[in-house]
């Protein structure tokens, strides 16, 4: 087995071109091959969220801390909190982030398929919903 202690996780600021607000991510374990499981931790400050994107092979999100929102471009929107899981189908255009007043950390589980960014940030109207 390999124990990866928390101080070995290479947290880095999430790139501004793909995120609104302050977010950090860190790979939790190195994938053995390009096709294998990618385990990524993502921390969002209040108000922070991804830009619109999709995952060619889908994504599983597990909320480890705090509360947030996951929404797609078909009007689907869920409020999530620690302990929740969200399964995002392959190719579904969506975003995820913290609520305006809480931090959120989730685990992102994806296989080797790439993330495709739609080139559009989540504006405040979409972020706040309604
Ligand atoms: Mn995603």
């Amino acid at each position: 087995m390999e124990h990866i202690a928390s101080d070995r996780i290479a947290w880095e600021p999430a790139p501004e071109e793909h995120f609104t607000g302050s977010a950090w991510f860190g790979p939790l374990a190195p994938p053995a091959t390009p096709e294998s499981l990618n385990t990524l931790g993502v921390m969002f400050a209040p108000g922070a969220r991804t830009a619109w994107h999709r995952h060619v092979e889908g994504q599983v999100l597990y909320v480890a801390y705090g509360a947030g929102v996951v929404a797609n471009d078909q009007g689907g929107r869920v409020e999530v909190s620690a302990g929740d899981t969200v399964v995002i189908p392959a190719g579904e255009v969506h975003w995820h982030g913290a609520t305006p007043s809480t931090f959120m950390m989730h685990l992102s589980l994806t296989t080797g398929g790439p993330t495709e960014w739609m080139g559009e940030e989540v504006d405040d109207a979409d972020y706040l919903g309604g």
Side-chain angles (χ1 to χ4, degrees), residues 50 53-55 59 61 88 94-96 108 115:
T50 70
H53 65 283
R54 62 189 174 197
H55 306 280
Q59 181 180 42
L61 300 175
I88 297 164
H94 69 285
W95 59 269
H96 22 114
S108 163
T115 297

Side-chain angles (χ1 to χ4, degrees), residues 14-25 42-53 61 67-71 77 94-104 106 117 120-129:
E16 286 182 16
E17 63 265 40
H18 296 150
F19 287 77
T20 297
S22 180
W24 288 66
F25 59 61
V42 189
M43 294 186 178
F44 298 87
R49 64 273 191 180
T50 70
W52 290 100
H53 65 283
L61 300 175
V69 178
V70 184
R77 181 185 181 92
H94 69 285
W95 59 269
H96 22 114
T99 75
S101 59
T102 61
F103 286 80
M104 178 179 67
H106 68 53
W117 297 93
E120 195 178 345
E121 69 178 15
V122 174
D123 63 26
D124 286 346
D126 283 339
Y127 174 61
L128 297 171

Side-chain angles (χ1 to χ4, degrees), residues 1-11 26-30 105:
M1 72 175 75
E2 181 179 7
H3 173 210
I4 302 174
S6 61
D7 63 357
R8 286 179 54 202
I9 297 170
W11 291 97
L28 304 182
M105 178 185 171

